[in-house]
């Protein structure tokens, strides 16, 4: 029952985010910029993969033909954006906005969509499975208890291709493959796992956006 609630909550959140971004990218093609463009910041500075709060959704930005291209990874649709100043972009026809934000070191690390959806730049390609060593996978193994209900536990073990998560309340097993040392996705890309490491060892795993499971001692 808890798993169903987690899946339904997360899928609803994921679908809502997709609908919002799809609305933002609804036009067949965004027109390229005109005299309003400011190119004092090279478009390459914005390039990369940005992760939604749900952890399962990603959008890619990359320069192409002197414009910034947005690509929805859930359906591979591509759209051109126009630049209105150094860090802000929008669609010409509908005026929906993307704002790129810097961290304290001056690097662009976030993109705010529609003025309210904060996406975070990641250092990995979510479309590509990363090869981890047996030792790296071993550090993630263990039994984890849900923060809000310690009676609910999951057991995570390494496998040939990544990790296997077993729900101890119903013995259901789910396979995951790595996208980075600490981020994993299931086969259809809708169930994300994000591990927190301390001194190289996993201490907790977050399923979706905010279901936190702590590793048993």
């Amino acid at each position: 029952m808890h798993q169903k609630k987690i899946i339904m909550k997360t899928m609803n959140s994921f679908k809502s985010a997709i609908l919002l971004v799809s609305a933002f990218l609804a036009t067949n093609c965004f027109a390229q910029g005109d005299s309003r463009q400011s190119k004092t910041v090279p478009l390459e500075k914005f390039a990369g993969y940005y992760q939604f709060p749900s952890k399962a959704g990603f959008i890619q930005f990359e320069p192409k033909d002197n414009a910034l291209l947005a690509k929805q990874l859930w359906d591979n649709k591509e759209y051109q954006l126009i630049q209105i100043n150094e860090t802000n972009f929008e669609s010409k026809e509908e005026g929906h906005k993307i704002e790129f934000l810097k961290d304290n070191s001056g690097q662009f690390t976030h993109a705010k969509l529609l003025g309210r959806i904060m996406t975070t730049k990641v250092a990995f390609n979510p479309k590509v499975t990363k090869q981890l060593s047996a030792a790296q996978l071993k550090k993630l193994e263990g039994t984890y208890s849900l923060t809000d209900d310690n009676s609910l536990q999951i057991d995570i073990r390494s496998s040939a291709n990544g990790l296997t998560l077993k729900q101890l309340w119903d013995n259901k097993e789910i396979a995951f493959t790595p996208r980075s040392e600490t981020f994993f996705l299931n086969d259809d890309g809708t169930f994300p796992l994000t591990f927190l490491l301390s001194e190289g060892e996993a201490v907790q795993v977050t399923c979706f956006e905010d279901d936190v499971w702590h590793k048993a001692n």
Side-chain angles (χ1 to χ4, degrees):
M1 179 63 70
H2 181 78
Q3 179 64 12
K4 289 182 178 179
K5 289 181 180 178
I6 291 177
I7 293 293
M8 290 180 67
K9 178 183 72 173
T10 303
M11 289 308 298
N12 287 339
S13 174
F14 181 59
K15 288 177 181 178
S16 296
I18 296 304
L19 287 173
L20 284 170
V21 179
S22 294
F24 167 64
L25 301 173
T27 55
N28 289 332
C29 182
F30 293 157
Q32 294 189 32
D34 49 28
S35 60
R36 294 187 303 165
Q37 281 190 334
S38 172
K39 295 186 178 180
T40 57
V41 177
L43 295 178
E44 289 77 11
K45 295 289 186 180
F46 308 114
Y49 297 94
Y50 292 73
Q51 187 177 39
F52 283 82
S54 69
K55 306 299 184 183
F58 293 87
I59 188 166
Q60 180 185 10
F61 297 102
E62 61 178 340
K64 187 175 182 180
D65 299 329
N66 296 318
L68 192 64
L69 192 71
K71 184 176 183 179
Q72 304 169 165
L73 297 196
W74 56 89
D75 61 8
N76 291 321
K77 289 184 179 179
E78 298 181 346
Y79 306 89
Q80 286 181 322
L81 307 176
I82 60 171
Q83 189 173 10
I84 60 175
N85 59 33
E86 289 188 6
T87 59
N88 289 271
F89 295 73
E90 67 176 30
S91 67
K92 185 174 183 179
E93 294 185 12
E94 298 194 13
H96 295 307
K97 303 180 186 301
I98 292 180
E99 180 185 6
F100 290 91
L101 304 173
K102 295 179 180 179
D103 61 11
N104 292 334
S105 68
Q107 300 298 311
F108 288 103
T109 55
H110 293 82
K112 185 186 290 186
L113 312 183
L114 302 174
R116 59 185 181 276
I117 303 174
M118 187 67 74
T119 63
T120 302
K121 190 174 184 179
V122 296
F124 57 86
N125 182 343
K127 299 182 295 183
V128 177
T129 299
K130 182 179 178 63
Q131 297 299 315
L132 297 183
S133 67
Q136 287 175 304
L137 294 171
K138 188 74 174 176
K139 292 178 180 179
L140 308 178
E141 289 186 343
T143 300
Y144 296 76
S145 300
L146 184 63
T147 301
D148 297 333
D149 186 350
N150 289 333
S151 68
L152 292 171
Q153 295 184 323
I154 55 177
D155 189 66
I156 295 177
R157 299 296 161 187
S158 56
S159 65
N161 297 318
L163 297 173
T164 298
L165 181 152
K166 184 177 183 179
Q167 301 170 170
L168 297 186
W169 59 89
D170 63 3
N171 292 323
K172 180 179 179 181
E173 295 187 351
I174 306 170
F176 293 85
T177 52
R179 301 302 188 272
S180 75
E181 184 179 351
T182 58
F183 181 74
F184 291 69
L185 285 170
N186 68 331
D187 288 344
D188 64 9
T190 59
F191 193 151
L193 296 179
T194 306
F195 289 88
L196 175 65
L197 304 182
S198 177
E199 297 181 355
E201 296 288 339
V203 294
Q204 74 177 43
V205 61
T206 302
C207 301
F208 308 115
E209 182 174 359
D210 54 12
D211 287 308
V212 179
W213 304 72
H214 289 280
K215 190 174 181 179
N217 293 328

